Amino acid sequence: MLRDITIGQYYPASSLIHRLDPRVKIVGTIVFVMALFMTSQVAAYVLAAVILSGIIILSKVPFKFIIKGLKPIFFLILFTVSINVLFTKGHYIFSLWGINISIEGLQSAAFMTSRLIMLIIGSSMMTLTTSPIQLTDGIENLLNPFKKIGLPAHELAMMMTIALRFIPTLLEETDKIMKAQMSRGADFETKSLRKKAQSLIPILVPLFINAFRRADELAMAMEARCYRGGENRTRMKQLLYGKRDYLAFLLMIGYLAVMLWI
């Protein structure tokens, strides 16, 4: 299940979405997430689903690969649905043994589930279609105006990208450590809360050691390449907006305007 998490992974492909400027995709993700929390109208969620479906088709990322990223949050979705269905008051359509289900509860559960699923898929699409280097350059460029108030834009962008990039790596290592411990007789299927907490120790200790080792290796590699931060740093590929990027910005503005109108 740990390998099913798609946030932080990059899926190489030759698509229109991949060729977009990383700044467009970052801003687009922020706009999409904001729009999801701005309204609870059915028409707004249908529009968001249509837009997201179009992006998935244009990105050429396999739909199965995207859906795979929802497996780790299945229990979170189930918990969200249960809370909304069971504890939302309104016009009850079912009542038995103290369990009351209302129309408003079902509506709230549907909205929250749709919002959560589209939020995960929308965020994953940004990392799936943007390489770590492009993501770093895009975040840094967007943060450049804040340098005037002393914000270290390059360092902050680098840290965010490295953290995002190492999510799938650490999850893969966690999976390997769990399998190694299970082959030595470790029990991770126990229902006892105390034993579950104790079983995490043989996972967390080697995981932290590996994480610090990787961080040290990364620091040594950056020093060997004379990395000194963003000061006087040049880039082989400069970020330049093209016609498709301006068109994407126009579509974003139109989408946000329609969501506000709805």
Side-chain angles (χ1 to χ4, degrees):
M1 184 176 286
L2 292 173
R3 292 183 178 182
D4 292 333
I5 297 177
T6 56
I7 294 179
Q9 295 187 31
Y10 173 64
Y11 186 90
S14 178
S15 72
L16 178 63
I17 305 298
H18 282 76
R19 290 192 293 269
L20 284 175
D21 191 284
R23 294 168 292 182
V24 175
K25 288 181 274 190
I26 293 169
V27 174
T29 303
I30 295 171
V31 169
F32 184 77
V33 172
M34 285 174 54
L36 285 177
F37 286 94
M38 282 167 52
T39 179
S40 59
Q41 300 295 323
V42 175
Y45 281 85
V46 171
L47 177 60
V50 170
I51 295 293
L52 188 58
S53 299
I55 292 172
I56 292 172
I57 293 170
L58 291 174
S59 69
K60 296 182 181 179
V61 178
F63 188 67
K64 289 182 179 180
F65 187 82
I66 296 170
I67 293 298
K68 187 176 68 172
L70 296 176
K71 289 182 181 179
I73 64 164
F74 173 76
F75 290 106
L76 178 61
I77 294 173
L78 188 62
F79 177 75
T80 303
V81 170
S82 302
I83 292 296
N84 282 276
V85 169
L86 297 177
F87 296 100
T88 302
K89 296 181 179 179
H91 298 86
Y92 295 117
I93 58 174
F94 178 83
S95 182
L96 181 65
W97 297 335
I99 299 175
N100 301 310
I101 298 176
S102 64
I103 298 175
E104 289 79 4
L106 293 173
Q107 291 176 343
S108 178
F111 280 127
M112 291 299 295
T113 303
S114 302
R115 180 182 293 172
L116 188 59
I117 290 173
M118 287 192 286
L119 182 66
I120 296 297
I121 294 177
S123 303
S124 299
M125 288 307 301
M126 182 185 68
T127 56
L128 287 170
T129 59
T130 313
S131 67
I133 294 175
Q134 289 179 328
L135 200 59
T136 304
D137 292 343
I139 295 173
E140 181 182 355
N141 191 274
L142 291 173
L143 293 176
N144 274 339
F146 297 98
K147 283 185 177 180
K148 296 178 181 179
I149 59 174
L151 184 73
H154 175 78
E155 287 76 10
L156 186 60
M158 181 65 73
M159 286 189 296
M160 290 171 63
T161 308
I162 290 174
L164 196 62
R165 170 61 186 84
F166 270 84
I167 290 175
T169 303
L170 292 176
L171 289 173
E172 187 177 352
E173 287 193 354
T174 304
D175 190 51
K176 289 180 180 178
I177 292 170
M178 286 181 66
K179 288 180 178 178
Q181 297 293 355
M182 287 171 68
S183 67
R184 292 171 173 83
D187 182 17
F188 297 109
E189 304 298 328
T190 178
K191 295 182 179 180
S192 172
L193 187 62
R194 180 182 176 184
K195 289 184 177 179
K196 278 187 177 181
Q198 289 176 344
S199 65
L200 289 176
I201 296 175
I203 297 176
L204 294 177
V205 172
L207 183 63
F208 272 100
I209 292 173
N210 287 343
F212 284 119
R213 179 179 56 79
R214 284 187 176 274
D216 186 57
E217 289 175 354
L218 179 62
M220 290 177 64
M222 293 170 76
E223 286 182 2
R225 289 164 176 78
C226 300
Y227 176 78
R228 295 294 181 270
E231 199 67 30
N232 300 320
R233 181 173 175 264
T234 59
R235 293 178 178 82
M236 184 176 69
K237 294 182 180 180
Q238 298 293 329
L239 294 179
L240 297 172
Y241 288 118
K243 291 182 180 179
R244 56 176 174 264
D245 300 313
Y246 290 116
L247 179 60
F249 273 126
L250 287 174
L251 291 174
M252 274 183 234
I253 294 170
Y255 169 69
L256 193 58
V258 172
M259 293 293 277
L260 285 169
W261 178 75
I262 292 175

